[in-house]
Amino acid sequence: MPESAWGWLIITYLFLAGAGAGAFISAVACDLLAPDWSRSLARAGSLAAGPLVAIGTACLVLDLEAGLWEPWRQIYLVGNLRSMIAWGVIILSVFIPIAFIYAAALNEITFVGRIAKKYLLHLEIVGSVLAVATAGYTGVLIAVINGVPFWNTSLMPVLFMASAMSTGLAVAMIGAAIIDIRTIKTLSNFALGHVIFLAVEGLVLGLLIFISLTRSAEAAASAQTLISGNLSPYFWSLVVVVGILIPFVLSIVEYYEYGEMPKYLVVGADLLVLVGGMSLRALIIYSGQPPQIV
Amino acid sequence: MHGITRRKFLIGSAAGSASLLAASYVNFDAWASREKIQGEVKVTPTLCDACGNWCAIKVHTRGGRIWKAEGIPLAGNNRGRMCAKGHGFLHEVYNPDRIKSPLKRVGPNKFEPISWEQAYKEIGTKVRAISEKYGPGSLFWVSHPQANVQLTQRFMQALKSPNVFSHGSTCFMPRNIGWWLTVGQAKPSMDFENSRMIVLVGRNPAGGMNLGHLRSMTKGRDRGAKVVVIDPRYSEAASMANQWIRIRPGTDLALMLALANVMISEGIYQKEFVEEFTEGFDEFAEEVKKYTPEWAAEKTDVSKQTIVTLAHELAAAAPRAIIHRGYHGAMGTQYKNSLQLVRAVGCVTGLLGNFNQRGGMFFSPKPKLGALDKDAHPNPPRVPGPMADGTGDMERYPLVPRGQGMTQAIPELAIEGKLKAGFVYHTNPLRTVPNPARVIEGYKKLELLVGFDYVLSETASVCHYILPESFYLERDDVIYTNQSVKTKQVSIRQPTIKPMYDTKPLLEILSGMAEHLGIGQYFNFTLDEMNRASLKPVGVTLEQLRKEGVVDLGHEWKPGPPRFNTPSGKLEFVSSILRDYDLPAVPTWEEPLVSPDPKDPHSFRMIHGKQAYHTHTRTCNQPYLMAITTINDAARVWIHPDRAKALGLKDGECMTISSSVGSGRARCRISEGIHPDCIFVPSAYGVFSRHLTHAKKDGGQGGFGFGISYNDFLPTYFSPVLGHAMVNEIVVKVEKTYA
Amino acid sequence: MPRYGIAIDTTKCIGCHACRVACQNQNDLPVHEEFNRIVERERGVFPSFSKEFVPLQCNHCKDAPCERVCPTGATYTSDEGVVLVNTKTCVGCKYCIEACPYKMRTMDHGKGIVVKCRMCIELVREGGTPACVSTCPTQVRIFGDLDDPTSEISRFIAEHRAQPLRADLNTGPRIYYKRS
Ligand SMILES: Nc1nc2c(c(=O)[nH]1)N[C@H]1C(S)=C(S)[C@@H](COP(=O)(O)OP(=O)(O)OC[C@H]3O[C@@H](n4cnc5c(=O)[nH]c(N)nc54)[C@H](O)[C@@H]3O)O[C@H]1N2
Ligand SMILES: Nc1nc2c(c(=O)[nH]1)N[C@H]1C(S)=C(S)[C@@H](COP(=O)(O)OP(=O)(O)OC[C@H]3O[C@@H](n4cnc5c(=O)[nH]c(N)nc54)[C@H](O)[C@@H]3O)O[C@H]1N2
Ligand code: SF4
Ligand code: SF4
Ligand code: SF4
Ligand code: SF4
Ligand code: SF4
Ligand SMILES: [Mo]
């Protein structure tokens, strides 16, 4: 049977768009809820969001074949509004500039930033809606495909959303540590976010596998390749252990041991979340199987 | 990069909706306009040459390039259809491995282009010298005979050599001789569409393609005929049949004799037909008394009940019941007992009384073509005497027709020093004749070998000179009549494009050589002149035939009392000719030459067969056709699950196969669709010419080094009466390959 | 307007692949691209062993998921009910390949676009028959107008109660199968 038509470029795109959107939301949350001790995290999240989503989008464009060699064809991309890609293009086209402007505003970069700063709250509200749309849409993109029963469930956007939030937060936290290593102590507050997002992600993933096993033969076959088939080594190690369990435990420790945990473990946990997020998307794409036709 | 992209997206969202409207109206014209881009479409009727069926097709060119083809509905032998090989072989005209000019071998596997003139001159000089030194009987010609055989016969006759060989001894010989002995004609036709029962005995027209047979079998089946396939293997034909009878290989003769036994003992044969149109019934009836269904069940591994039921069903459907006349499988050159088998099938057909009956067998009306004017274009004198292999020698192979001979005898005769120089036309004995080590040794002994091919096949690779005939899409050939099935038809092959390279049609090459051989006077005509002369009596002009490709001359076959061209004028249960030569004159049980050891888990008979998308081994380098092999992993060797288990084999694992003459490795396909006694080798692979590399380009598979061939395991045999190669008389040892 | 479809009788298919190569030539496809394929299925144990060859091609679905997900609208359904790809507007995003439950679309990497069975629409519009239909030696496929109850295909479907493959996927396929 044919393999997935999508490869690493799309997987990377799904990952970066999610992480970028998550980083944006993390930044907004910091800026609004915890303005003082989390400046560096808000700054890092806002600075990362635009580029990540843009690079992800570039991956998407690189994966277009005719659209890459004859770029004018890309104007057709919004030709059919029943298509999630069309909506994705629209969302991204608006979100990417807003994310950049937001970064400029929050960090007061150039005159654009100074002007935009006046509308910071507006940018945060509109941007957050678009970020949620971006993150959720990466899940919806595949969830609407009934050609792959495993993907074809409303759990998919929830899973992608949860993963986008945790990877976005991880990006913001790593960024914050880079901007100002001294703030690393205060980052412990945000470990609670990881605890929650990873818990949700784990639960939804578990539910997805469980439901898939009973839903249809093809969905079950996909789930099976993940839990016991040829993709299972990667699934258990990279997604479950590395991407969810270890960072989950580390985040709990981090939260309760406020500021006491070694720095490399704090950053390490975030890096593991990123590895897990990317692996999750790769494995979901690669485990997708079409219906048995004959 | 992403900046540009972003802008594009922004523009996109604005311009998108507007362009959408425009876009959805452009629809498919990019595909349609391709035609305009690539030029004018031209349609030329001609004959396919991707296999020996020579189906009538219409070739479409676009801007002077071959594009596609379709069958011509009028043609009796393909009725508008075309097979995968036919479609795929069109691409061969652009195969980069093609020979582009005459070549001279200047070292092992090393060739140098030369001019036609030089080739003619050097070949002429050498052939003359050899003929003078060793006599003209040391010269031979071997080909896959088609209509062009008229020309090659003429050429060899002019050279005073009787040695014109065909591939028949590895293909169909017992089938032809068996029917000829029994009903007076080598290839009786079959009215499947009106039949009520169709039985295939070791014939798989769905793999060893015959499009016309498939069409008419389908029609019969649609009208309710029962189709029964008797084969050790669930063949492709079995998948469209009603019943598969899994027979032990090499034992069909026992089954046929038992059918006769049941029909005669129960008195359910067509008595009037037997009375009126057959000869020797009593003797036959006496002989088959001992071949009871119980006895046959033991031999064939087919249950007694199945045998009896088959006899009843055939009898009930008679005379609208047909056993296929056979070709290569079982009734062809596969077994020592194949001749007896064909005779037995002929006799059962006699019991069914189906000859010249609706839904039965019949003799196709064939147009009688004219000939060149003998005064202006004299025929060379007939060469008397037998061929070098004993063909036509009353003491040795009296039944084998001159012009066929035994292709596997050529290397043996070369080793013995009896053949010294030869021409190999449109055939590839190094690959298609058993026991290649021996064949190579023999062909290499020749002082001169001249090949005609379009690529450097295994055989061409050892020739001293290779004369590239223009490809079938580029040349004219002799008028052909094999499209005639129920009516008389004539057809023609003609160029669809100009020759791509410095190549020539056969007649031109022969004329060129003839000049230098001092036999130019026998080749003082053009192909058009010859074809016009052929067409004259049938009242069709060359121009008309060129325009239509196939012309139907009417004279439709009508059921009626049969007339047999045998010595007795009847269907011969007892063959008077066989009796004259002191050979078993009524079909008699005969064991296969060799059989696997039932106690040895490693011992198997090796059987083989065609796949519908390959022709012999010559398509193994054709990318479109090899892609089918790859997708379906179809070069694997079939083995029964129980036997595989005993050998520790899992599906797809590699086996080491060996026989007394060779060994090889192949991956297995474990299937319930094969008799446990045998393994089945698809016969299209095992190409070993280093020059065949095209299929490997673009990461494909095929060509040099791909797969195995049954010939690698098969000793050189000559069957007692016909000298055929007995190509399924192979016992091999099969083992699981460890690393 | 007619509404074209094809009925396929797998009990006659011999897996000869003539349809595959005829289609490749008709549509100028390179070696490794295919618009139709033949799936071989073995069933049972001797003596009740059997084999089926099932020819697959685009089903020209009435509610085609490939068309729904196509962002550019390059995938569209013609007036004759034939699902086609506009080669000028397809960007090659491959979303339609993922979306087709029958996996009957392929990427033409040479042109960077997605291609698929086109029901030989040019031939059909000239009054011809699709290449895979006319070349088949056992007449497995019947092409015709599903809206005309007197057409050969409609009668065949009615007589044999031919069904689409996996009708439960609810895409409204226009290729019908008789499988026993
Ligand atoms: N695709 C394709 N078609 C061709 C050709 C080609 O090269 N390719 N070549 C043409 C030529 S030259 C020929 S001769 C014909 C050959 O056409 P066929 O005579 O049909 O030849 P095969 O496919 O070799 O064998 C037919 C069947 O015989 C079975 N068989 C083997 N041993 C036995 C046995 O002991 N008993 C019985 N009952 N069956 C047995 C095999 O399993 C196989 O299914 O095809 C012609 N058509
Ligand atoms: N391994 C193997 N051996 C076999 C068989 C098999 O299937 N596999 N089948 C057996 C049977 S049934 C038969 S009939 C014989 C057939 O035996 P061959 O006649 O030897 O078989 P082909 O492979 O058809 O060989 C045809 C040769 O003609 C060349 N050729 C193709 N087109 C042209 C052309 O236009 N002009 C010229 N001059 N040459 C051309 C091809 O390149 C090839 O070298 O083989 C028998 N032996
Ligand atoms: S059977 Fe196929 S390959 Fe042979 S002549 Fe006919 S179309 Fe050509
Ligand atoms: S079969 Fe697939 S490609 Fe064809 S119309 Fe249906 S969804 Fe589209
Ligand atoms: S690849 Fe082309 S046809 Fe398929 S969804 Fe994308 S734009 Fe549409
Ligand atoms: S209808 Fe035409 S395009 Fe579709 S599979 Fe058949 S030959 Fe190919
Ligand atoms: S051409 Fe006909 S018989 Fe051959 S594989 Fe295709 S559908 Fe089946
Ligand atoms: Mo043959």
Side-chain angles (χ1 to χ4, degrees):
Chain A
M1 268 290 126
E3 299 153 15
S4 170
W6 282 338
W8 279 105
L9 284 169
I10 294 296
I11 290 163
T12 311
Y13 156 67
L14 294 174
F15 169 69
L16 292 180
F24 188 93
I25 293 169
S26 304
V28 171
C30 288
D31 190 48
L32 294 179
L33 304 176
D36 291 339
W37 43 263
S38 58
R39 290 267 352 128
S40 62
L41 194 139
R43 286 182 59 199
S46 68
L47 286 170
L52 285 182
V53 179
I55 294 168
T57 306
C59 288
L60 173 72
V61 172
L62 281 173
D63 192 59
L64 300 178
E65 297 187 19
L68 182 65
W69 303 118
E70 300 177 6
W72 60 88
R73 284 179 189 242
Q74 291 172 23
I75 62 171
Y76 300 121
L77 272 169
V78 291
N80 171 18
L81 295 183
R82 287 193 302 167
S83 169
M84 278 320 296
I85 288 193
W87 280 106
V89 168
I90 293 169
I91 293 167
L92 291 169
S93 315
V94 187
F95 179 56
I96 293 171
I98 287 189
F100 275 99
I101 295 170
Y102 177 60
L106 199 71
N107 298 286
E108 293 182 50
I109 302 167
T110 73
F111 74 98
V112 180
R114 285 191 293 278
I115 299 170
K117 187 145 196 228
K118 296 186 192 126
Y119 306 97
L120 196 63
L121 189 62
H122 295 93
L123 284 171
E124 285 178 335
I125 293 168
V126 175
S128 296
V129 171
L130 287 166
V132 170
T134 301
Y137 136 82
T138 56
V140 177
L141 181 75
I142 67 168
V144 298
I145 293 184
N146 47 8
V148 183
F150 182 55
W151 298 348
N152 190 210
T153 150
S154 49
L155 283 175
M156 213 43 101
V158 184
L159 179 65
F160 273 57
M161 193 69 220
S163 173
M165 289 311 298
S166 61
T167 52
L169 182 59
V171 166
M173 286 171 75
I174 295 168
I178 293 170
I179 291 175
D180 184 355
I181 191 69
R182 286 164 309 175
T183 62
I184 198 141
K185 217 172 171 179
T186 63
L187 290 180
S188 305
N189 289 311
F190 291 96
L192 185 61
H194 267 333
V195 174
I196 295 167
F197 296 139
L198 288 172
V200 173
E201 188 182 332
L203 286 175
V204 176
L205 185 58
L207 201 59
L208 174 72
I209 299 280
F210 179 74
I211 290 177
S212 299
L213 285 174
T214 55
R215 205 157 49 100
S216 69
E218 297 82 18
S222 294
Q224 220 98 49
T225 45
L226 289 181
I227 59 172
S228 56
N230 56 357
L231 295 177
S232 60
Y234 307 101
F235 178 73
W236 291 114
S237 63
L238 293 177
V239 175
V240 177
V241 176
V242 168
I244 299 177
L245 284 181
I246 299 179
F248 182 72
V249 173
L250 285 176
S251 298
I252 291 176
V253 175
E254 194 182 343
Y255 186 66
Y256 284 105
E257 300 267 299
Y258 183 82
E260 296 304 310
M261 209 165 77
K263 286 173 203 154
Y264 67 86
L265 276 185
V266 176
V267 177
D270 290 322
L271 284 172
L272 293 186
V273 168
L274 295 182
V275 170
M278 180 76 177
S279 307
L280 176 72
R281 284 162 181 79
L283 289 171
I284 285 188
I285 294 298
Y286 285 137
S287 64
Q289 287 181 21
Q292 187 73 39
I293 298 302
V294 281
Chain B
M1 165 91 217
H2 64 256
I4 300 167
T5 308
R6 205 147 41 95
R7 203 163 65 231
K8 274 271 143 42
F9 279 145
L10 288 169
I11 298 167
S13 25
S17 351
S19 56
L20 165 69
L21 265 174
S24 57
Y25 284 96
V26 201
N27 64 41
F28 71 92
D29 49 9
W31 290 82
S33 64
R34 179 190 289 254
E35 237 167 70
K36 278 171 234 138
I37 297 163
Q38 299 190 1
E40 188 198 349
V41 173
K42 238 183 79 193
V43 182
T44 315
T46 187
L47 299 176
C48 179
D49 188 18
C51 85
N53 285 327
W54 281 30
C55 295
I57 58 173
K58 278 190 225 154
V59 173
H60 297 236
T61 57
R62 214 172 23 195
R65 248 185 101 83
I66 303 289
W67 170 29
K68 62 164 184 175
E70 63 204 21
I72 298 179
L74 180 68
N77 72 338
N78 61 312
R79 306 222 221 159
R81 307 282 142 159
M82 218 179 139
C83 79
K85 313 164 267 155
H87 290 297
F89 218 62
L90 295 174
H91 295 275
E92 281 298 280
V93 81
Y94 303 115
N95 179 350
D97 292 344
R98 273 190 68 180
I99 299 171
K100 302 180 176 68
S101 72
L103 296 177
K104 177 177 181 172
R105 187 152 63 79
V106 292
N109 265 318
K110 260 184 79 188
F111 299 90
E112 199 177 82
I114 56 171
S115 72
W116 284 99
E117 204 42 44
Q118 185 188 344
Y120 295 151
K121 217 167 122 194
E122 292 186 16
I123 293 168
T125 313
K126 288 181 183 168
V127 169
R128 280 182 133 170
I130 290 169
S131 179
E132 267 157 38
K133 187 161 166 206
Y134 305 103
S138 66
L139 309 176
F140 72 92
W141 184 286
V142 58
S143 65
H144 193 127
Q146 297 288 2
N148 280 345
V149 83
Q150 294 173 44
L151 298 173
T152 60
Q153 284 278 12
R154 188 180 186 93
F155 184 75
M156 292 311 284
Q157 222 162 293
L159 286 176
K160 303 192 172 59
S161 167
N163 299 320
V164 178
F165 293 89
S166 87
H167 66 296
S169 64
T170 59
C171 173
F172 54 72
M173 186 104 76
R175 189 273 314 263
N176 282 23
I177 310 289
W179 283 108
W180 170 73
L181 290 169
T182 314
V183 302
Q185 218 240 48
K187 279 160 76 183
S189 300
M190 294 150 292
D191 184 19
F192 291 127
E193 53 249 68
N194 294 307
S195 196
R196 288 194 290 220
M197 180 99 181
I198 300 167
V199 180
L200 302 172
V201 180
R203 172 71 176 108
N204 178 26
M209 269 287 158
N210 185 308
L211 296 164
H213 290 178
L214 282 174
R215 271 304 293 281
S216 53
M217 277 173 56
T218 314
K219 222 172 190 174
R221 180 188 179 278
D222 286 352
R223 292 177 181 172
K226 178 172 183 183
V227 181
V228 179
V229 168
I230 301 174
D231 199 309
R233 174 182 77 102
Y234 195 97
S235 67
E236 289 77 2
S239 63
M240 66 168 284
N242 305 76
Q243 189 186 0
W244 170 43
I245 295 179
R246 190 189 78 172
I247 194 166
R248 172 175 291 131
T251 65
D252 302 76
L253 175 58
L255 180 68
M256 285 303 134
L257 293 170
L259 289 180
N261 172 295
V262 175
M263 288 164 75
I264 295 173
S265 66
E266 297 187 14
I268 50 171
Y269 58 94
Q270 298 286 304
K271 297 197 180 83
E272 276 164 40
F273 184 94
V274 167
E275 190 75 23
E276 206 171 332
F277 300 112
T278 70
E279 181 75 22
F281 173 75
D282 294 340
E283 203 176 318
F284 177 64
E286 191 54 36
E287 171 71 18
V288 299
K289 266 194 186 141
K290 56 182 182 247
Y291 304 126
T292 61
E294 291 83 359
W295 168 83
E298 186 73 23
K299 291 276 175 211
T300 58
D301 198 20
V302 175
S303 74
K304 178 192 160 190
Q305 194 47 52
T306 306
I307 298 172
V308 172
T309 309
L310 181 63
H312 289 171
E313 285 175 345
L314 276 167
R320 287 166 66 184
I322 298 177
I323 303 174
H324 192 290
R325 72 174 180 222
Y327 202 161
H328 175 69
M331 293 161 80
T333 52
Q334 294 190 329
Y335 299 95
K336 180 161 172 248
N337 62 21
S338 289
L339 176 63
Q340 289 299 330
L341 171 61
V342 182
R343 286 269 303 128
V345 170
C347 294
V348 172
T349 301
L351 298 177
L352 296 172
N354 77 7
F355 258 94
N356 228 31
Q357 310 297 313
R358 205 174 127 77
M361 302 183 86
F362 64 99
F363 303 119
S364 287
K366 280 270 161 72
K368 222 176 145 32
L369 296 180
L372 287 164
D373 173 42
K374 293 232 167 48
D375 295 329
H377 312 285
N379 278 336
R382 221 189 109 77
V383 187
M387 288 168 59
D389 61 358
T391 289
D393 182 341
M394 293 305 136
E395 305 293 309
R396 294 182 64 204
Y397 296 105
L399 297 179
V400 181
R402 283 245 320 241
Q404 295 208 343
M406 295 142 230
T407 182
Q408 80 277 28
I410 295 171
E412 300 299 314
L413 294 165
I415 291 167
E416 287 169 28
K418 291 195 179 128
L419 294 178
K420 291 290 181 188
F423 300 89
V424 196
Y425 172 68
H426 209 313
T427 185
N428 183 16
L430 258 61
R431 182 60 286 179
T432 52
V433 166
N435 201 354
R438 189 83 178 155
V439 180
I440 294 169
E441 185 190 338
Y443 271 93
K444 281 192 169 166
K445 275 253 154 60
L446 294 166
E447 289 183 17
L448 176 70
L449 188 60
V450 179
F452 301 76
D453 212 314
Y454 79 109
V455 287
L456 282 167
S457 67
E458 287 77 2
T459 308
S461 306
V462 302
C463 287
H464 299 97
Y465 295 90
I466 300 136
L467 305 178
E469 181 181 31
S470 298
F471 209 40
Y472 71 113
L473 297 165
E474 306 169 326
R475 70 169 189 256
D476 273 305
D477 268 338
V478 168
I479 302 294
Y480 198 60
T481 59
N482 272 22
Q483 265 68 30
S484 315
V485 178
K486 283 194 172 168
T487 54
K488 295 187 180 179
Q489 297 190 338
V490 285
S491 58
I492 190 169
R493 172 172 296 132
Q494 58 183 335
T496 60
I497 54 169
K498 286 202 203 69
M500 304 260 304
Y501 308 109
D502 187 11
T503 61
K504 291 180 193 295
L506 180 65
L507 179 58
E508 258 182 61
I509 305 176
L510 292 180
S511 308
M513 288 195 297
E515 276 313 309
H516 292 270
L517 284 162
I519 52 172
Q521 71 272 29
Y522 300 118
F523 286 89
N524 62 350
F525 53 89
T526 65
L527 195 57
D528 275 5
E529 283 167 347
M530 183 172 175
N531 284 343
R532 277 184 213 285
S534 297
L535 287 173
K536 204 159 178 205
V538 300
V540 176
T541 65
L542 190 56
E543 288 63 33
Q544 184 192 355
L545 192 54
R546 281 194 190 284
K547 201 162 139 250
E548 296 172 26
V550 185
V551 173
D552 193 282
L553 306 168
H555 300 275
E556 189 171 357
W557 163 71
K558 294 259 169 2
R563 253 182 303 156
F564 297 100
N565 197 15
T566 51
S568 62
K570 298 193 169 178
L571 185 151
E572 297 197 348
F573 286 112
V574 178
S575 164
S576 47
I577 298 175
L578 287 177
R579 179 142 291 168
D580 286 349
Y581 290 109
D582 277 338
L583 295 164
V586 283
T588 311
W589 169 247
E590 188 181 349
E591 289 287 340
L593 181 70
V594 293
S595 289
D597 176 356
K599 287 194 247 24
D600 180 356
H602 297 284
S603 177
F604 292 81
R605 182 184 294 281
M606 177 184 281
I607 67 168
H608 64 264
K610 315 268 189 242
Q611 290 170 325
Y613 37 89
H614 284 295
T615 300
H616 311 304
T617 59
R618 78 163 102 136
T619 49
C620 185
N621 190 32
Q622 192 342 277
Y624 279 86
L625 300 175
M626 277 308 296
I628 304 172
T629 301
T630 312
I631 292 170
N632 297 291
D633 202 358
R636 287 176 299 164
V637 170
W638 300 22
I639 183 168
H640 188 273
D642 296 346
R643 301 290 310 266
K645 201 167 162 213
L647 299 178
L649 279 165
K650 290 201 200 62
D651 197 36
E653 284 185 335
C654 192
M655 328 188 260
T656 302
I657 307 168
S658 53
S659 77
S660 59
V661 299
S663 71
R665 283 180 179 188
R667 287 172 48 246
C668 71
R669 168 182 174 160
I670 298 180
S671 172
E672 282 283 336
I674 176 98
H675 193 281
D677 279 10
C678 56
I679 55 170
F680 171 82
V681 180
S683 61
Y685 313 107
V687 165
F688 62 85
S689 164
R690 295 183 176 278
H691 303 280
L692 304 177
T693 59
H694 179 37
K696 287 219 176 52
K697 310 243 163 77
D698 300 332
Q701 291 189 315
F704 171 65
F706 183 89
I708 60 166
S709 162
Y710 66 90
N711 284 322
D712 297 341
F713 305 88
L714 180 59
T716 311
Y717 291 132
F718 297 89
S719 74
V721 181
L722 300 180
H724 71 268
M726 305 194 282
V727 295
N728 275 9
E729 301 282 15
I730 316 177
V731 173
V732 290
K733 182 176 169 198
V734 178
E735 289 163 300
K736 179 170 170 165
T737 311
Y738 291 98
Chain C
M1 261 292 157
R3 202 169 49 93
Y4 292 127
I6 293 178
I8 293 180
D9 182 351
T10 66
T11 68
K12 288 200 232 170
C13 180
I14 53 173
C16 73
H17 286 78
C19 47
R20 171 194 167 92
V21 192
C23 172
Q24 288 182 307
N25 284 357
Q26 171 68 30
N27 294 295
D28 296 294
L29 299 187
V31 171
H32 296 290
E33 275 170 34
E34 59 189 16
F35 288 175
N36 59 24
R37 64 171 163 268
I38 313 295
V39 173
E40 185 177 356
R41 290 274 178 270
E42 294 191 341
R43 294 193 188 91
V45 173
F46 181 81
S48 58
F49 173 78
S50 71
K51 186 188 282 187
E52 185 190 19
F53 292 103
V54 188
L56 300 174
Q57 66 191 84
C58 166
N59 285 287
H60 298 277
C61 307
K62 187 151 82 33
D63 297 312
C66 58
E67 180 175 2
R68 198 168 10 165
V69 303
C70 175
T72 60
T75 294
Y76 68 102
T77 306
S78 82
D79 296 342
E80 304 104 323
V82 177
V83 176
L84 295 169
V85 179
N86 182 337
T87 58
K88 286 186 180 153
T89 55
C90 170
V91 289
C93 70
K94 301 176 273 288
Y95 199 17
C96 52
I97 301 185
E98 296 293 4
C100 169
Y102 297 94
K103 286 288 164 280
M104 290 318 300
R105 298 184 145 239
T106 59
M107 189 68 208
D108 180 336
H109 292 289
K111 297 201 217 67
I113 58 172
V114 163
V115 290
K116 60 180 282 296
C117 161
R118 320 177 50 258
M119 203 83 100
C120 290
I121 195 68
E122 300 90 343
L123 273 179
V124 167
R125 284 181 187 159
E126 287 166 8
T129 318
C132 59
V133 175
S134 61
T135 205
C136 175
T138 51
Q139 282 177 295
V140 167
R141 286 176 171 86
I142 300 169
F143 168 81
D145 182 1
L146 294 169
D147 274 352
D148 173 2
T150 66
S151 65
E152 191 190 354
I153 182 172
S154 299
R155 283 184 285 123
F156 179 89
I157 292 171
E159 184 184 337
H160 298 285
R161 297 210 194 87
Q163 297 290 329
L165 292 176
R166 293 295 305 263
D168 61 306
L169 297 172
N170 286 320
T171 64
R174 291 196 180 103
I175 309 284
Y176 289 77
Y177 287 79
K178 166 182 182 270
R179 295 183 65 185
S180 54

